[in-house]
Amino acid sequence: MITLAEGLRLPTNGLDYTILALYFIVVLGIGFAAKRSVRTSLDFFLSGRSLPAWVTGLAFVAANLGATEILGMAANGAQYGAYTVHWYWIGAIPAMVFLGLVMMPFYYGSKVRSVPEFLLHRFGPSSHLLSSIIFAVSSVLIAGVNLYAMAIVLQALLGWPQWVAIVVAGFFVLAYITIGGLTSAIYNEVLQFFVILAALIPLTVVGLKRVGGWDGLTHSLNSSHGDAFLTAWKGTGIGEGNPLGANWLTIVLGLGFVMSFGYWTTNFAEVQRALSAKNLSAAKRTPLIAAFPKIFIPMVVVVPGLIALVMEPTLGKSKDGLQYNDAIPVLMRDLLPNGVLGIAVTGLLAAFMAGMAANVSSFNTVFTNDIWAAYLKKGREDAYYLKTGRVVTAVGVLIGMGTAFIASSFSNIMNYLQTLFSFFNVPLFVVFIIGMFWKRTSAAAGFWGLLSGTAAAMVNYFWFYKQGIIAIPSDQGANFVSSIVAFVVGALVMVVVTLVTKPRPAESLAGLVYGTRSPGMEELPAEGDDAWYRKPALLGWGAVVLAAVCYLPFSF
């Protein structure tokens, strides 16, 4: 899945390990501090719906800023150049804004505890159980990706054996989530967000200085890779070739619409942070606040990949030498002194733990509430489900450790993750978007749309693409196509099934379909929420415009 070259061992000393130890102490301290607020299962799974928007917003973006993204997107920057910014400015921001402005009123207003629970209210138990199982499986798979990637990195950089790295990180994630629940995970994610930036910003600044600033960087890359390497759209016409293996249509529809909307609007590891907000206004603003730092993340993730390509021209040229995945570790090795090096290693570890914690905390919520309590052990007292959640957290971490070794069979970290998203998130988005905007959609349509969309994505990827029936230049391009296929097939099946089955009574859809309202959606704004700078529409459209402006330097 991810390989790092030999010779990346960092010259760490006692100061670096002291910084790392202090971080672990603070992480556990936050867990014990959060324990005082955990009295009910709602406190454990959703922080009692009590957190302010700025906290949930930073946790929202940190939950996505795992080290798989940092290493993977830096590698993509080195391999694909400026094409990588599409994953942010068209592949994230519009979907995050849609989640905040359109979907959060339905999620939060219906008082659901999870994304699958919304399907229970809209489509019934069949769709609910299927989506719960799919999400539980994908959560532990993605948690395993974070653990395995972290183990490989720490083995290469610090000399830790893989199993030691997996056990150490797994133990600390298990400890602070089990002790303090989601509140502990979220506040640790806020801490991790700043630790990650403290690691990446010096790396970027020092790296740019070493290669002669932005002008020196662009001159070097234009000379070695051509003028198109630092543009986002050149070479993406239909029929044209580019390293990404995708044209503007598959980028806009595959990545910008179905794949990105499928991930950001239905991935409970993200939505859970917004559901923990103190009121509806804060819940709507959570992904909108997160959108602004997300816009600028390429500056400290993609740009280092470009810098590494200039500093190490052999990057990715030989199977036996430095690979694109080595971009960030190479810069850490060559640029950072002790002390700052300790912060950088801590930042990487924080990023891995943030990604794993997001998936483990969402797994324990879905498994406990949507599978265990809904179908296996109904009607127990709240204390029972609180205890179950803690046990399931331990089980989730242990399974994540197991899937960490399964993940080693995949050749590329980002391809693996994007493949999972096209299989699981896109079909779920189809069901949500049609069910949310078409009252006539029946319960049977939800189930068969989800099942057929998932199957169609898998058939396209494993049969048409892997067997060479359809020629697609890259795995990423294949994922974009799989996403489009999943969306189209799922949508068609839902339309057909809806037309031949009986719809749900209109009165049972209050607050679940666009144009209807439930009592939870009538919540009055809290004091200060009506300030102009907190208006969700202003925040959302401001983020979209800013993302579009960021494209300008990379479009000509």
Side-chain angles (χ1 to χ4, degrees):
M1 183 200 66
I2 179 172
T3 57
L4 295 181
E6 295 293 331
L8 288 178
R9 187 66 50 82
L10 299 178
T12 50
N13 61 17
L15 175 60
D16 301 312
Y17 278 103
T18 299
I19 293 172
L20 194 60
L22 288 173
Y23 169 73
F24 280 126
I25 293 171
V26 172
V27 162
L28 291 181
I30 291 174
F32 281 105
K35 182 180 180 181
R36 294 176 297 179
S37 64
V38 179
R39 298 180 180 86
T40 68
S41 62
L42 184 65
D43 295 333
F44 185 79
F45 295 120
L46 286 180
S47 302
R49 299 186 192 271
S50 62
L51 301 180
W54 74 269
V55 170
T56 54
L58 290 181
F60 190 98
V61 70
N64 178 254
L65 191 59
T68 50
E69 160 136 351
I70 293 172
L71 293 176
M73 287 305 176
N76 279 357
Q79 184 172 3
Y80 304 127
Y83 293 109
T84 309
V85 301
H86 291 308
W87 269 272
Y88 296 88
W89 299 335
I90 198 172
I93 303 306
M96 294 168 74
V97 171
F98 184 82
L99 172 63
L101 297 182
V102 178
M103 296 188 72
M104 279 316 302
F106 294 96
Y107 282 142
Y108 199 90
S110 60
K111 300 301 180 185
V112 297
R113 292 191 175 197
S114 68
V115 169
E117 188 179 342
F118 185 87
L119 289 184
L120 174 63
H121 296 315
R122 178 61 182 90
F123 293 108
S126 297
S127 298
H128 173 239
L129 181 58
L130 178 60
S131 65
S132 299
I133 293 172
I134 287 174
F135 185 81
V137 171
S138 64
S139 293
V140 293
L141 285 175
I142 296 172
V145 173
N146 280 279
L147 265 181
Y148 181 74
M150 180 210 63
I152 294 297
V153 170
L154 293 185
Q155 182 183 40
L157 301 187
L158 302 180
W160 294 10
Q162 287 186 27
W163 71 269
V164 172
I166 289 175
V167 170
V168 168
F171 168 78
F172 279 97
V173 171
L174 171 62
Y176 72 73
I177 294 180
T178 304
I179 293 168
L182 184 64
T183 301
S184 174
I186 285 178
Y187 277 105
N188 266 304
E189 284 161 2
V190 173
L191 168 68
Q192 287 157 351
F193 175 76
F194 290 107
V195 172
I196 292 166
L197 290 185
L200 294 178
I201 290 175
L203 202 64
T204 307
V205 172
V206 176
L208 277 175
K209 185 176 181 181
R210 178 70 65 88
V211 297
W214 183 254
D215 289 339
L217 179 67
T218 55
H219 176 74
S220 298
L221 291 177
N222 287 338
S223 300
S224 60
H225 289 75
D227 296 339
F229 195 70
L230 291 180
T231 64
W233 295 106
K234 192 172 183 178
T236 61
I238 295 176
E240 294 186 73
N242 60 72
L244 193 58
N247 56 51
W248 69 267
L249 185 62
T250 55
I251 290 172
V252 172
L253 292 182
L255 174 62
F257 178 53
V258 293
M259 206 167 194
S260 109
F261 276 64
Y263 175 80
W264 290 102
T265 65
T266 66
N267 182 22
F268 185 50
E270 302 293 337
V271 175
Q272 187 179 27
R273 274 75 194 141
L275 289 178
S276 66
K278 63 181 180 180
N279 55 32
L280 177 57
S281 174
K284 292 167 67 175
R285 283 184 280 124
T286 293
L288 306 179
I289 291 172
F292 286 91
K294 185 69 176 178
I295 289 171
F296 297 104
I297 291 299
M299 307 308 170
V300 293
V301 174
V302 180
V303 171
L306 300 174
I307 295 170
L309 194 59
V310 173
M311 292 183 58
E312 294 284 351
T314 61
L315 208 64
K317 302 296 184 183
S318 168
K319 289 185 178 180
D320 299 326
L322 292 170
Q323 302 300 307
Y324 292 118
N325 286 323
D326 298 324
I328 293 290
V330 161
L331 295 185
M332 291 171 58
R333 181 197 66 187
D334 294 346
L335 298 177
L336 300 182
N338 290 110
V340 179
L341 192 61
I343 295 174
V345 173
T346 303
L348 267 185
L349 192 58
F352 281 118
M353 292 172 66
M356 182 186 179
N359 284 282
V360 169
S361 61
S362 57
F363 168 78
N364 67 24
T365 303
V366 168
F367 186 89
T368 303
N369 291 322
D370 296 290
I371 298 177
W372 193 259
Y375 299 101
L376 300 176
K377 297 291 183 180
K378 300 180 180 180
R380 298 293 185 93
E381 66 278 5
D382 186 74
Y384 172 81
Y385 295 120
L386 175 58
K387 182 179 179 180
T388 301
R390 288 195 161 107
V391 173
V392 170
T393 300
V395 172
V397 170
L398 292 175
I399 295 176
M401 291 179 180
T403 59
F405 294 101
I406 295 175
S408 64
S409 63
F410 290 82
S411 61
N412 183 285
I413 187 172
M414 291 310 297
N415 290 350
Y416 176 48
L417 290 174
Q418 297 292 329
T419 301
L420 292 179
F421 297 152
S422 68
F423 289 173
F424 301 133
N425 292 92
V426 172
L428 193 58
F429 173 64
V430 178
V431 174
F432 266 88
I433 203 69
I434 293 180
M436 192 172 285
F437 286 94
W438 190 21
K439 291 182 183 179
R440 176 73 172 77
T441 312
S442 65
F447 175 81
W448 290 109
L450 180 58
L451 187 61
S452 63
T454 302
M458 292 181 174
V459 168
N460 178 77
Y461 187 83
F462 290 114
W463 187 24
F464 287 102
Y465 169 60
K466 286 295 187 181
Q467 300 302 317
I469 297 174
I470 295 178
I472 303 175
S474 68
D475 287 346
Q476 292 288 11
N479 290 331
F480 296 165
V481 174
S482 294
S483 298
I484 295 173
V485 169
F487 186 89
V488 172
V489 171
L492 288 176
V493 168
M494 288 188 72
V495 170
V496 171
V497 174
T498 292
L499 294 177
V500 298
T501 53
K502 186 178 179 181
R504 292 186 60 187
E507 59 270 15
S508 67
L509 299 177
L512 302 174
V513 179
Y514 195 78
T516 67
R517 301 189 70 82
S518 68
M521 299 172 72
E522 302 292 343
E523 180 180 308
L524 295 175
E527 183 179 354
D529 283 350
D530 55 354
W532 67 268
Y533 56 87
R534 292 185 177 180
K535 296 288 186 182
L538 177 64
L539 291 171
W541 287 109
V544 170
V545 171
L546 184 57
V549 169
C550 287
Y551 262 120
L552 294 179
F554 298 95
S555 298
F556 305 101

PDB file of all heavy atoms in Angstrom, residues 456-472:
ATOM      1  N   ALA A 456     -22.469  -2.045  -8.793  1.00  0.00           N
ATOM      2  CA  ALA A 456     -22.050  -1.495 -10.086  1.00  0.00           C
ATOM      3  C   ALA A 456     -20.634  -0.930 -10.013  1.00  0.00           C
ATOM      4  O   ALA A 456     -19.831  -1.112 -10.936  1.00  0.00           O
ATOM      5  CB  ALA A 456     -23.034  -0.414 -10.534  1.00  0.00           C
ATOM      6  N   ALA A 457     -20.311  -0.239  -8.912  1.00  0.00           N
ATOM      7  CA  ALA A 457     -18.964   0.313  -8.753  1.00  0.00           C
ATOM      8  C   ALA A 457     -17.927  -0.804  -8.699  1.00  0.00           C
ATOM      9  O   ALA A 457     -16.854  -0.709  -9.313  1.00  0.00           O
ATOM     10  CB  ALA A 457     -18.895   1.169  -7.495  1.00  0.00           C
ATOM     11  N   MET A 458     -18.232  -1.873  -7.970  1.00  0.00           N
ATOM     12  CA  MET A 458     -17.300  -2.994  -7.866  1.00  0.00           C
ATOM     13  C   MET A 458     -17.121  -3.706  -9.202  1.00  0.00           C
ATOM     14  O   MET A 458     -15.999  -4.074  -9.584  1.00  0.00           O
ATOM     15  CB  MET A 458     -17.789  -3.975  -6.800  1.00  0.00           C
ATOM     16  CG  MET A 458     -17.734  -3.430  -5.386  1.00  0.00           C
ATOM     17  SD  MET A 458     -18.288  -4.657  -4.167  1.00  0.00           S
ATOM     18  CE  MET A 458     -17.947  -3.790  -2.629  1.00  0.00           C
ATOM     19  N   VAL A 459     -18.219  -3.914  -9.939  1.00  0.00           N
ATOM     20  CA  VAL A 459     -18.143  -4.569 -11.251  1.00  0.00           C
ATOM     21  C   VAL A 459     -17.297  -3.736 -12.210  1.00  0.00           C
ATOM     22  O   VAL A 459     -16.439  -4.260 -12.927  1.00  0.00           O
ATOM     23  CB  VAL A 459     -19.550  -4.796 -11.829  1.00  0.00           C
ATOM     24  CG1 VAL A 459     -19.458  -5.195 -13.302  1.00  0.00           C
ATOM     25  CG2 VAL A 459     -20.283  -5.871 -11.037  1.00  0.00           C
ATOM     26  N   ASN A 460     -17.526  -2.417 -12.213  1.00  0.00           N
ATOM     27  CA  ASN A 460     -16.761  -1.561 -13.114  1.00  0.00           C
ATOM     28  C   ASN A 460     -15.276  -1.615 -12.787  1.00  0.00           C
ATOM     29  O   ASN A 460     -14.433  -1.702 -13.693  1.00  0.00           O
ATOM     30  CB  ASN A 460     -17.250  -0.115 -13.013  1.00  0.00           C
ATOM     31  CG  ASN A 460     -16.452   0.832 -13.905  1.00  0.00           C
ATOM     32  OD1 ASN A 460     -16.639   0.878 -15.111  1.00  0.00           O
ATOM     33  ND2 ASN A 460     -15.545   1.588 -13.306  1.00  0.00           N
ATOM     34  N   TYR A 461     -14.949  -1.579 -11.478  1.00  0.00           N
ATOM     35  CA  TYR A 461     -13.541  -1.534 -11.095  1.00  0.00           C
ATOM     36  C   TYR A 461     -12.851  -2.879 -11.301  1.00  0.00           C
ATOM     37  O   TYR A 461     -11.778  -2.945 -11.940  1.00  0.00           O
ATOM     38  CB  TYR A 461     -13.399  -1.086  -9.643  1.00  0.00           C
ATOM     39  CG  TYR A 461     -11.971  -0.840  -9.217  1.00  0.00           C
ATOM     40  CD1 TYR A 461     -11.346   0.373  -9.481  1.00  0.00           C
ATOM     41  CD2 TYR A 461     -11.239  -1.824  -8.561  1.00  0.00           C
ATOM     42  CE1 TYR A 461     -10.024   0.604  -9.103  1.00  0.00           C
ATOM     43  CE2 TYR A 461      -9.923  -1.614  -8.185  1.00  0.00           C
ATOM     44  CZ  TYR A 461      -9.322  -0.398  -8.458  1.00  0.00           C
ATOM     45  OH  TYR A 461      -8.018  -0.179  -8.097  1.00  0.00           O
ATOM     46  N   PHE A 462     -13.424  -3.949 -10.770  1.00  0.00           N
ATOM     47  CA  PHE A 462     -12.736  -5.239 -10.775  1.00  0.00           C
ATOM     48  C   PHE A 462     -12.862  -5.984 -12.107  1.00  0.00           C
ATOM     49  O   PHE A 462     -11.992  -6.794 -12.448  1.00  0.00           O
ATOM     50  CB  PHE A 462     -13.262  -6.121  -9.643  1.00  0.00           C
ATOM     51  CG  PHE A 462     -12.862  -5.658  -8.280  1.00  0.00           C
ATOM     52  CD1 PHE A 462     -13.806  -5.203  -7.376  1.00  0.00           C
ATOM     53  CD2 PHE A 462     -11.531  -5.651  -7.891  1.00  0.00           C
ATOM     54  CE1 PHE A 462     -13.442  -4.769  -6.109  1.00  0.00           C
ATOM     55  CE2 PHE A 462     -11.152  -5.220  -6.637  1.00  0.00           C
ATOM     56  CZ  PHE A 462     -12.109  -4.776  -5.739  1.00  0.00           C
ATOM     57  N   TRP A 463     -13.932  -5.727 -12.861  1.00  0.00           N
ATOM     58  CA  TRP A 463     -14.126  -6.443 -14.109  1.00  0.00           C
ATOM     59  C   TRP A 463     -13.724  -5.587 -15.314  1.00  0.00           C
ATOM     60  O   TRP A 463     -12.763  -5.874 -16.003  1.00  0.00           O
ATOM     61  CB  TRP A 463     -15.581  -6.911 -14.233  1.00  0.00           C
ATOM     62  CG  TRP A 463     -15.806  -7.811 -15.419  1.00  0.00           C
ATOM     63  CD1 TRP A 463     -14.876  -8.577 -16.072  1.00  0.00           C
ATOM     64  CD2 TRP A 463     -17.044  -8.027 -16.106  1.00  0.00           C
ATOM     65  NE1 TRP A 463     -15.443  -9.270 -17.111  1.00  0.00           N
ATOM     66  CE2 TRP A 463     -16.787  -8.963 -17.165  1.00  0.00           C
ATOM     67  CE3 TRP A 463     -18.334  -7.563 -15.925  1.00  0.00           C
ATOM     68  CZ2 TRP A 463     -17.787  -9.392 -18.035  1.00  0.00           C
ATOM     69  CZ3 TRP A 463     -19.334  -8.006 -16.796  1.00  0.00           C
ATOM     70  CH2 TRP A 463     -19.053  -8.902 -17.833  1.00  0.00           C
ATOM     71  N   PHE A 464     -14.438  -4.485 -15.517  1.00  0.00           N
ATOM     72  CA  PHE A 464     -14.195  -3.680 -16.710  1.00  0.00           C
ATOM     73  C   PHE A 464     -12.790  -3.057 -16.709  1.00  0.00           C
ATOM     74  O   PHE A 464     -12.106  -3.057 -17.731  1.00  0.00           O
ATOM     75  CB  PHE A 464     -15.251  -2.584 -16.846  1.00  0.00           C
ATOM     76  CG  PHE A 464     -16.596  -3.097 -17.264  1.00  0.00           C
ATOM     77  CD1 PHE A 464     -17.619  -3.252 -16.339  1.00  0.00           C
ATOM     78  CD2 PHE A 464     -16.848  -3.450 -18.588  1.00  0.00           C
ATOM     79  CE1 PHE A 464     -18.858  -3.741 -16.719  1.00  0.00           C
ATOM     80  CE2 PHE A 464     -18.089  -3.933 -18.970  1.00  0.00           C
ATOM     81  CZ  PHE A 464     -19.095  -4.088 -18.045  1.00  0.00           C
ATOM     82  N   TYR A 465     -12.367  -2.517 -15.543  1.00  0.00           N
ATOM     83  CA  TYR A 465     -11.066  -1.852 -15.494  1.00  0.00           C
ATOM     84  C   TYR A 465      -9.922  -2.838 -15.296  1.00  0.00           C
ATOM     85  O   TYR A 465      -8.967  -2.885 -16.089  1.00  0.00           O
ATOM     86  CB  TYR A 465     -11.068  -0.800 -14.388  1.00  0.00           C
ATOM     87  CG  TYR A 465      -9.697  -0.239 -14.085  1.00  0.00           C
ATOM     88  CD1 TYR A 465      -8.945   0.409 -15.061  1.00  0.00           C
ATOM     89  CD2 TYR A 465      -9.129  -0.370 -12.803  1.00  0.00           C
ATOM     90  CE1 TYR A 465      -7.679   0.919 -14.787  1.00  0.00           C
ATOM     91  CE2 TYR A 465      -7.872   0.140 -12.520  1.00  0.00           C
ATOM     92  CZ  TYR A 465      -7.154   0.770 -13.515  1.00  0.00           C
ATOM     93  OH  TYR A 465      -5.901   1.272 -13.244  1.00  0.00           O
ATOM     94  N   LYS A 466      -9.995  -3.641 -14.242  1.00  0.00           N
ATOM     95  CA  LYS A 466      -8.891  -4.545 -13.929  1.00  0.00           C
ATOM     96  C   LYS A 466      -8.680  -5.614 -15.004  1.00  0.00           C
ATOM     97  O   LYS A 466      -7.554  -6.063 -15.221  1.00  0.00           O
ATOM     98  CB  LYS A 466      -9.118  -5.202 -12.560  1.00  0.00           C
ATOM     99  CG  LYS A 466      -8.891  -4.272 -11.369  1.00  0.00           C
ATOM    100  CD  LYS A 466      -7.437  -3.835 -11.292  1.00  0.00           C
ATOM    101  CE  LYS A 466      -7.136  -3.047 -10.030  1.00  0.00           C
ATOM    102  NZ  LYS A 466      -5.726  -2.609  -9.962  1.00  0.00           N
ATOM    103  N   GLN A 467      -9.762  -6.031 -15.685  1.00  0.00           N
ATOM    104  CA  GLN A 467      -9.632  -7.036 -16.735  1.00  0.00           C
ATOM    105  C   GLN A 467      -9.321  -6.423 -18.096  1.00  0.00           C
ATOM    106  O   GLN A 467      -9.204  -7.133 -19.085  1.00  0.00           O
ATOM    107  CB  GLN A 467     -10.927  -7.864 -16.830  1.00  0.00           C
ATOM    108  CG  GLN A 467     -11.287  -8.609 -15.566  1.00  0.00           C
ATOM    109  CD  GLN A 467     -10.203  -9.570 -15.118  1.00  0.00           C
ATOM    110  OE1 GLN A 467      -9.616 -10.276 -15.925  1.00  0.00           O
ATOM    111  NE2 GLN A 467      -9.921  -9.600 -13.817  1.00  0.00           N
ATOM    112  N   GLY A 468      -9.203  -5.095 -18.134  1.00  0.00           N
ATOM    113  CA  GLY A 468      -8.809  -4.434 -19.363  1.00  0.00           C
ATOM    114  C   GLY A 468      -9.895  -4.322 -20.408  1.00  0.00           C
ATOM    115  O   GLY A 468      -9.620  -4.022 -21.580  1.00  0.00           O
ATOM    116  N   ILE A 469     -11.171  -4.546 -20.008  1.00  0.00           N
ATOM    117  CA  ILE A 469     -12.268  -4.430 -20.970  1.00  0.00           C
ATOM    118  C   ILE A 469     -12.447  -2.973 -21.405  1.00  0.00           C
ATOM    119  O   ILE A 469     -12.743  -2.682 -22.558  1.00  0.00           O
ATOM    120  CB  ILE A 469     -13.577  -4.987 -20.361  1.00  0.00           C
ATOM    121  CG1 ILE A 469     -13.394  -6.485 -20.069  1.00  0.00           C
ATOM    122  CG2 ILE A 469     -14.763  -4.760 -21.294  1.00  0.00           C
ATOM    123  CD1 ILE A 469     -14.561  -7.111 -19.347  1.00  0.00           C
ATOM    124  N   ILE A 470     -12.259  -2.046 -20.435  1.00  0.00           N
ATOM    125  CA  ILE A 470     -12.281  -0.616 -20.727  1.00  0.00           C
ATOM    126  C   ILE A 470     -10.894  -0.067 -20.420  1.00  0.00           C
ATOM    127  O   ILE A 470     -10.345  -0.319 -19.345  1.00  0.00           O
ATOM    128  CB  ILE A 470     -13.346   0.114 -19.878  1.00  0.00           C
ATOM    129  CG1 ILE A 470     -14.741  -0.371 -20.253  1.00  0.00           C
ATOM    130  CG2 ILE A 470     -13.252   1.620 -20.082  1.00  0.00           C
ATOM    131  CD1 ILE A 470     -15.842   0.267 -19.431  1.00  0.00           C
ATOM    132  N   ALA A 471     -10.329   0.676 -21.358  1.00  0.00           N
ATOM    133  CA  ALA A 471      -8.988   1.240 -21.171  1.00  0.00           C
ATOM    134  C   ALA A 471      -9.078   2.558 -20.413  1.00  0.00           C
ATOM    135  O   ALA A 471      -9.604   3.542 -20.921  1.00  0.00           O
ATOM    136  CB  ALA A 471      -8.316   1.457 -22.519  1.00  0.00           C
ATOM    137  N   ILE A 472      -8.594   2.565 -19.164  1.00  0.00           N
ATOM    138  CA  ILE A 472      -8.541   3.774 -18.345  1.00  0.00           C
ATOM    139  C   ILE A 472      -7.088   3.939 -17.906  1.00  0.00           C
ATOM    140  O   ILE A 472      -6.483   2.987 -17.387  1.00  0.00           O
ATOM    141  CB  ILE A 472      -9.473   3.671 -17.123  1.00  0.00           C
ATOM    142  CG1 ILE A 472     -10.909   3.401 -17.574  1.00  0.00           C
ATOM    143  CG2 ILE A 472      -9.427   4.960 -16.299  1.00  0.00           C
ATOM    144  CD1 ILE A 472     -11.886   3.164 -16.427  1.00  0.00           C
TER     145      ILE A 472
END
